Amino acid sequence: MVAMYVVVVYDVEQKRVGKVCQFLRRYLNWVQNSAFEGELTEGQLEEVIAGIRDIVNRRSDSVYFYVIPDRRWCRRRVVGVEKNITDAIL
């Protein structure tokens, strides 16, 4: 089971924001309004994509998945307040 690092950002209609946020919290860490990140297996990534497809309206909403094969290749730089620090999670 190989994990990959995934960043998800979304822009959905207000009536679906809560559902998308609640769903993504089951798999990833919330880091910013409409942004999540964390490690997922390929199977988990497919579950997340399928779940998001069931929630969003593909004609008006958008969800971007950035998949990085290894977290070592991902460097995050924050300007301003870091809303949810994920490095301290064990």
Side-chain angles (χ1 to χ4, degrees):
M1 203 166 31
V2 176
M4 61 195 83
Y5 203 72
V6 178
V7 177
V8 180
V9 294
Y10 58 92
D11 183 12
V12 300
E13 289 185 18
Q14 187 64 37
K15 61 186 173 184
R16 285 183 291 280
V17 168
K19 286 183 181 182
V20 170
C21 182
Q22 184 177 19
F23 176 77
L24 289 173
R25 281 182 190 263
R26 295 186 343 210
Y27 295 89
L28 298 164
N29 302 306
W30 174 81
V31 292
Q32 181 63 264
N33 294 342
S34 303
F36 285 79
E37 64 182 42
E39 289 187 319
L40 296 175
T41 64
E42 186 70 38
Q44 289 171 322
L45 176 60
E46 293 306 318
E47 284 179 33
V48 171
I49 292 171
I52 290 297
R53 283 185 177 136
D54 290 342
I55 297 170
V56 301
N57 179 332
R58 293 192 219 176
R59 292 188 182 118
S60 60
D61 300 333
S62 60
V63 181
Y64 290 79
F65 291 84
Y66 297 93
V67 180
I68 301 138
D70 190 320
R71 185 175 181 171
R72 292 179 297 171
W73 303 110
C74 178
R75 190 173 103 184
R76 178 169 30 116
R77 295 175 66 181
V78 178
V79 175
V81 177
E82 188 164 0
K83 292 194 174 188
N84 191 11
I85 301 169
T86 59
D87 292 342
I89 296 174
L90 299 176

